[in-house]
Amino acid sequence: MFSQAMYELGTKKSTIRTIFEYGRKRAAVVGEDNIYDYSLGNPNVPAPTYIKQAIFDILNEEDPCAVHGYTIAPGLTVVREKLAKSVNRRFATKFSAKNFFITGGAAGAITITFKALSEPGDEFVTFAPFFPEYKCFVESTGAKLVVVPAQPSDFQINFAEFEKRISKKTKAIIVNSPNNPSGVIYSEDTIKTLAKILEKKEKEYGHPIFLISDEPYREIAYDGIEVPYLTHYYADTIICYSYSKSFSLPGERIGYILIPDETASSEQIYGAVAGAARVLTHVNAPSLFQRVIARCCDMPSDISTYQKNGTLLYNGLVEAGFKCIKPQGAFYLFPESLEPDDYAFCKKAQEFDLLLVPGTDFGCPGHFRASYCIKTSIIEKSLPVFKKLAESYGIKKGS
Amino acid sequence: MFSQAMYELGTKKSTIRTIFEYGRKRAAVVGEDNIYDYSLGNPNVPAPTYIKQAIFDILNEEDPCAVHGYTIAPGLTVVREKLAKSVNRRFATKFSAKNFFITGGAAGAITITFKALSEPGDEFVTFAPFFPEYKCFVESTGAKLVVVPAQPSDFQINFAEFEKRISKKTKAIIVNSPNNPSGVIYSEDTIKTLAKILEKKEKEYGHPIFLISDEPYREIAYDGIEVPYLTHYYADTIICYSYSKSFSLPGERIGYILIPDETASSEQIYGAVAGAARVLTHVNAPSLFQRVIARCCDMPSDISTYQKNGTLLYNGLVEAGFKCIKPQGAFYLFPESLEPDDYAFCKKAQEFDLLLVPGTDFGCPGHFRASYCIKTSIIEKSLPVFKKLAESYGIKKGS
């Protein structure tokens, strides 16, 4: 009578969603300020004022028929020219409008890319910890997601495990740096080693292996850490970008796919992207916000709140006795759970009204994710509670 | 190396797109005012001023974090409550928020619905003339599109041919009224007969047959003709609505799926819709425009330009000797071509700088589509040219 597979995808709640919904109910009982909800990655910094100004200017200056009208499927050429110029200026690249396909955020960008590339029997490889929707998006194209176990010492890539999992069936590698959930940025060394392996394997297998860079958190990098621009390191790179986090516009669904000329069969892949977009009901990325990003793409992101929150939470957790990598980017921490069973640990934390997401959901047991894109005052208030939680595991301050 | 199927979908240009692109090139040669481009269905009436006002008000009054933030996948509950109230008021229905799933326009709505319903071996039935993307959208779910030949005398439904094509495999029927490309509205008689047949067949086959009403043109109906509200006639109805045409917002991608409680397995179908939306990279419908439609859904559409254009073009074509059904709704005319081969006819028309789309593309040879959502002055200027075209076929005025 209907598709059972779709029903299951639509009704089986993710752990994150379940925890979040529990939080909403609990907040109604104990009060909004007494629940420490670290579950969701929803930016809590408002869109910069230049976004509002850009919308006002567009509506006042431009032809309304055009502003809200259909655009060609890849997005307005003038917008893509602006994006190309901006990327070229920042990263010393040589892209032009024809390399860009504007999409509905990064979810749109990566899924369209997966579908454009995917052939029967294909495998896509990613590295734990990883964004759990990859599995759903890759499998919906008929391909298989292969997960390389994490390297918890620094959450860079575990290359020994990677080499065991790459094969003739590998169509593409998916990387996400700054990373959700680890908050780590892949170093230039990591990227160079990855590129070297991929080049070797391309030769060995006689076909390209694409490197898909899912980078919604590119602009959220702390302390001047550089996020390597992957097209400089590996030819067969495809970039999937989003303005959801950098401009705090996650609800507006705007991002892009960037296919460099250097990428194998780049023109054909661009064509396949257009076809995948068509069956994925893309039509065009929202037309007003195409114009907004054209006007704002050179403006800086405001990451000060996230940096402040990240430092505050990290120091508090370490002080309480947690083991955790210092935040480098994005707005997540991924500490070790205080017992090996991260589900049991998060259940325990819930008794303290600390809402944390088990690392198992990101392919990395024994850890938990804390999204610190929340009010700073809530983080401050939660730190003694984390301490109490640690104490309940017998960990004493300074011990 | 990439998906050949997606490449073909992305690079094989539709006839409409080819004609439109020819028009752009030709306009550069002969001038914008000397090309009569009836190819595209892009609204030429700007969005009403209340849309602009609503955007300004939302940005000035509401919390920017919420305005541009993620919403739950079905869309904000408060927005869906407003939509339900508005539909209930207009059509004497009893829907609530839980019946609505807000989507990226009608393309999103119908494709998500097809994917939610589709099981292996399923067939979806539609009536010529029909919107050609149905084929792509239905086939992308693995199902088959079955087309019932047109009834060119009035472009209502050819029921004799319909009964030959409905079968145990029929999962759903797709109707589109006011119709693209015929400009016809299905009468209440047509809907009653259709409902009766479907009820009979449901009993005979022992399973529901869904009636999917694709209605982006609902508000564009002339001379007080009523567009029947299908949930009043048939229980297993699913409505796919869009604000693209009624509010001239096609680029913003906003519409909804409405699944009444009366529809068989409505809750499960709602769940399957959520799953289909997930794999189709929906995430949420654009968040600012969710709020815009909530504020504007009770406002009237301005169809005066379309009505004026339709009457002008219809009278001119009839005067020139064309056979055509009087415009009832949407913004298309679908006259008989002046030779049986509608491709040859449209090629001939192109020599006169009249850009028309062959009926074959809509499953109805021997006709052509003229989209009259263009400048009235262009229509006026084109009428003597249509006359010359008719004369080239030996048709004289008054003959």
Side-chain angles (χ1 to χ4, degrees):
Chain A
M1 195 182 296
F2 53 85
S3 163
Q4 196 60 35
M6 292 305 122
Y7 175 73
E8 273 159 30
L9 275 176
T11 51
K12 218 173 129 185
K13 271 181 202 151
S14 71
T15 310
I16 298 176
R17 174 63 53 182
T18 308
I19 295 170
F20 171 71
E21 287 179 5
Y22 165 82
R24 295 297 78 215
K25 276 182 202 151
R26 180 79 180 145
V29 178
V30 298
E32 205 60 69
D33 282 357
N34 296 311
I35 184 91
Y36 313 106
D37 184 354
Y38 287 99
S39 69
L40 284 194
N42 206 352
N44 70 315
V45 172
T49 51
Y50 54 71
I51 296 286
K52 182 173 169 181
Q53 192 57 51
I55 296 173
F56 281 17
D57 291 347
I58 291 163
L59 294 181
N60 284 326
E61 293 164 14
E62 298 188 31
D63 167 23
C65 254
V67 167
H68 303 301
Y70 289 118
T71 74
I72 55 171
L76 293 162
T77 307
V78 287
V79 173
R80 289 179 290 128
E81 276 165 2
K82 288 271 277 184
L83 301 183
K85 212 176 262 181
S86 177
V87 170
N88 290 344
R89 184 184 59 74
R90 291 183 58 199
F91 303 110
T93 48
K94 287 180 177 170
F95 303 125
S96 62
K98 71 174 196 314
N99 301 114
F100 286 78
F101 194 102
I102 305 176
T103 62
I110 59 177
T111 312
I112 289 170
T113 303
F114 297 164
K115 192 157 182 80
L117 295 177
S118 183
E119 294 173 283
D122 275 356
E123 293 182 353
F124 288 69
V125 176
T126 199
F127 305 97
F130 69 100
F131 178 51
E133 284 293 276
Y134 286 167
K135 191 171 151 64
C136 166
F137 293 160
V138 165
E139 287 177 357
S140 75
T141 74
K144 189 183 156 192
L145 183 72
V146 173
V147 178
V148 178
Q151 179 169 294
S153 58
D154 57 5
F155 289 125
Q156 299 287 320
I157 291 175
N158 187 332
F159 286 111
E161 293 293 338
F162 174 49
E163 294 217 48
K164 283 186 211 157
R165 282 164 182 83
I166 190 166
S167 81
K168 271 205 150 192
K169 294 183 187 167
T170 307
K171 171 57 62 77
I173 312 298
I174 311 162
V175 293
N176 171 226
S177 163
N179 184 261
N180 172 12
S182 76
V184 157
I185 294 169
Y186 287 165
S187 67
E188 194 176 23
D189 273 358
T190 294
I191 298 302
K192 280 183 176 165
T193 308
L194 177 63
K196 217 164 136 185
I197 294 171
L198 291 178
E199 279 160 8
K200 189 185 79 185
K201 291 293 180 182
E202 282 195 332
K203 268 188 206 140
E204 186 182 330
Y205 302 144
H207 67 72
I209 301 168
F210 298 99
L211 177 60
I212 301 171
S213 180
D214 174 26
E215 39 188 67
Y217 301 101
R218 165 164 288 282
E219 316 309 337
I220 308 176
Y222 307 130
D223 302 320
I225 300 179
E226 288 282 330
V227 183
Y229 205 77
L230 300 196
T231 64
H232 291 310
Y233 299 87
Y234 183 64
D236 292 333
T237 294
I238 297 173
I239 306 256
C240 294
Y241 187 85
S242 165
Y243 292 94
S244 291
K245 277 43 181 201
S246 52
F247 288 163
S248 290
L249 297 173
E252 307 298 357
R253 314 309 307 138
I254 190 94
Y256 60 75
I257 303 167
L258 166 50
I259 307 163
D261 291 344
E262 292 71 26
T263 301
S265 309
S266 68
E267 275 183 47
Q268 287 96 320
I269 289 173
Y270 196 94
V273 156
R278 195 173 157 196
V279 299
L280 291 167
T281 81
H282 160 85
V283 184
N284 58 243
S287 49
L288 171 62
F289 278 91
Q290 286 190 37
R291 288 167 169 84
V292 170
I293 58 164
R295 288 187 183 227
C296 301
C297 60
D298 280 333
M299 302 297 280
S301 303
D302 177 10
I303 62 167
S304 57
T305 303
Y306 301 136
Q307 170 125 37
K308 183 173 67 186
N309 284 359
T311 306
L312 179 67
L313 181 61
Y314 170 75
N315 289 339
L317 286 177
V318 171
E319 164 90 10
F322 285 84
K323 280 187 194 141
C324 182
I325 291 168
K326 218 182 144 189
Q328 299 171 8
F331 36 57
Y332 308 101
L333 284 182
F334 200 62
E336 284 180 27
S337 52
L338 297 179
E339 58 182 306
D341 180 344
D342 48 320
Y343 264 84
F345 171 76
C346 290
K347 201 84 198 153
K348 180 92 179 167
Q350 207 165 286
E351 292 170 18
F352 291 77
D353 287 323
L354 287 166
L355 305 188
L356 311 169
V357 184
T360 299
D361 276 48
F362 305 93
C364 189
H367 292 75
F368 66 92
R369 188 185 80 168
S371 298
Y372 55 78
C373 46
I374 60 174
K375 275 196 225 163
T376 309
S377 60
I378 295 284
I379 298 176
E380 280 164 349
K381 220 180 142 188
S382 75
L383 296 181
V385 186
F386 273 111
K387 241 175 228 177
K388 273 189 206 153
L389 173 62
E391 282 164 11
S392 81
Y393 281 95
I395 298 168
K396 291 254 183 257
K397 191 188 159 182
S399 71
Chain B
M1 195 183 294
F2 53 86
S3 163
Q4 196 61 33
M6 291 304 122
Y7 176 72
E8 274 159 30
L9 275 176
T11 51
K12 219 174 127 184
K13 271 181 200 151
S14 73
T15 311
I16 298 176
R17 177 59 54 181
T18 307
I19 295 169
F20 171 72
E21 286 180 4
Y22 166 82
R24 294 297 77 212
K25 278 184 200 148
R26 180 77 181 148
V29 178
V30 299
E32 205 60 70
D33 281 358
N34 295 310
I35 185 90
Y36 313 106
D37 185 354
Y38 287 100
S39 67
L40 284 193
N42 206 352
N44 70 314
V45 172
T49 50
Y50 54 72
I51 296 287
K52 182 173 166 179
Q53 192 58 51
I55 296 173
F56 281 18
D57 292 347
I58 292 162
L59 294 182
N60 283 327
E61 293 164 14
E62 298 189 31
D63 166 22
C65 254
V67 167
H68 304 300
Y70 289 117
T71 75
I72 55 172
L76 292 161
T77 307
V78 287
V79 172
R80 289 179 293 127
E81 275 164 3
K82 289 272 278 184
L83 300 184
K85 211 176 261 184
S86 178
V87 169
N88 291 344
R89 185 186 56 76
R90 291 183 58 200
F91 303 110
T93 48
K94 287 180 177 170
F95 302 125
S96 61
K98 74 177 194 311
N99 301 114
F100 288 77
F101 194 103
I102 306 176
T103 61
I110 58 176
T111 311
I112 288 170
T113 303
F114 298 164
K115 193 159 183 79
L117 295 177
S118 184
E119 294 173 284
D122 275 355
E123 293 181 352
F124 287 69
V125 176
T126 197
F127 305 98
F130 70 99
F131 178 52
E133 285 291 278
Y134 286 166
K135 193 171 149 62
C136 166
F137 293 158
V138 166
E139 287 177 355
S140 74
T141 73
K144 189 182 155 192
L145 184 71
V146 174
V147 178
V148 178
Q151 179 168 293
S153 59
D154 58 4
F155 289 125
Q156 298 289 321
I157 290 174
N158 187 332
F159 285 110
E161 294 292 339
F162 173 51
E163 295 218 46
K164 283 185 211 159
R165 281 164 183 82
I166 191 166
S167 80
K168 272 203 150 194
K169 294 182 187 167
T170 307
K171 173 56 64 76
I173 313 296
I174 311 161
V175 293
N176 171 227
S177 164
N179 184 261
N180 171 13
S182 76
V184 158
I185 293 168
Y186 287 164
S187 68
E188 194 176 25
D189 272 358
T190 294
I191 297 303
K192 281 182 175 167
T193 309
L194 177 62
K196 219 165 135 183
I197 293 171
L198 291 179
E199 279 161 7
K200 191 185 77 184
K201 291 293 182 184
E202 281 195 332
K203 268 188 205 141
E204 187 181 330
Y205 303 143
H207 66 72
I209 301 170
F210 299 98
L211 177 60
I212 300 170
S213 181
D214 173 27
E215 38 189 67
Y217 302 101
R218 162 164 291 279
E219 316 310 337
I220 307 176
Y222 308 131
D223 302 321
I225 301 179
E226 288 282 331
V227 183
Y229 206 78
L230 299 196
T231 62
H232 291 310
Y233 299 88
Y234 184 65
D236 292 333
T237 294
I238 297 172
I239 307 256
C240 294
Y241 186 85
S242 165
Y243 292 94
S244 291
K245 274 56 180 194
S246 53
F247 286 163
S248 291
L249 297 172
E252 306 300 357
R253 315 307 308 137
I254 189 94
Y256 60 74
I257 303 167
L258 166 49
I259 306 163
D261 291 344
E262 293 71 24
T263 301
S265 308
S266 69
E267 273 182 50
Q268 289 95 322
I269 289 174
Y270 196 94
V273 156
R278 194 174 158 197
V279 298
L280 290 167
T281 80
H282 159 86
V283 184
N284 59 241
S287 50
L288 171 62
F289 278 91
Q290 287 189 37
R291 289 166 167 85
V292 170
I293 60 165
R295 288 187 183 226
C296 299
C297 60
D298 280 333
M299 301 297 279
S301 303
D302 177 10
I303 63 167
S304 57
T305 303
Y306 301 137
Q307 171 125 37
K308 184 173 67 183
N309 283 359
T311 307
L312 180 68
L313 180 62
Y314 171 75
N315 289 339
L317 286 177
V318 170
E319 165 89 9
F322 284 84
K323 281 186 194 141
C324 182
I325 290 167
K326 218 181 142 188
Q328 298 171 10
F331 36 56
Y332 308 101
L333 284 182
F334 201 62
E336 286 180 23
S337 52
L338 298 179
E339 58 181 306
D341 179 343
D342 49 319
Y343 265 84
F345 171 77
C346 290
K347 200 86 198 152
K348 181 89 177 170
Q350 207 165 288
E351 292 170 18
F352 291 77
D353 287 323
L354 287 166
L355 305 188
L356 311 169
V357 184
T360 298
D361 277 48
F362 305 94
C364 190
H367 292 75
F368 66 92
R369 187 185 82 169
S371 299
Y372 55 77
C373 47
I374 60 174
K375 273 196 223 164
T376 309
S377 60
I378 296 282
I379 298 177
E380 278 163 351
K381 219 179 144 190
S382 77
L383 296 181
V385 185
F386 273 111
K387 240 176 226 178
K388 274 188 204 153
L389 172 62
E391 282 164 13
S392 82
Y393 280 95
I395 298 167
K396 292 258 184 253
K397 189 189 160 182
S399 70

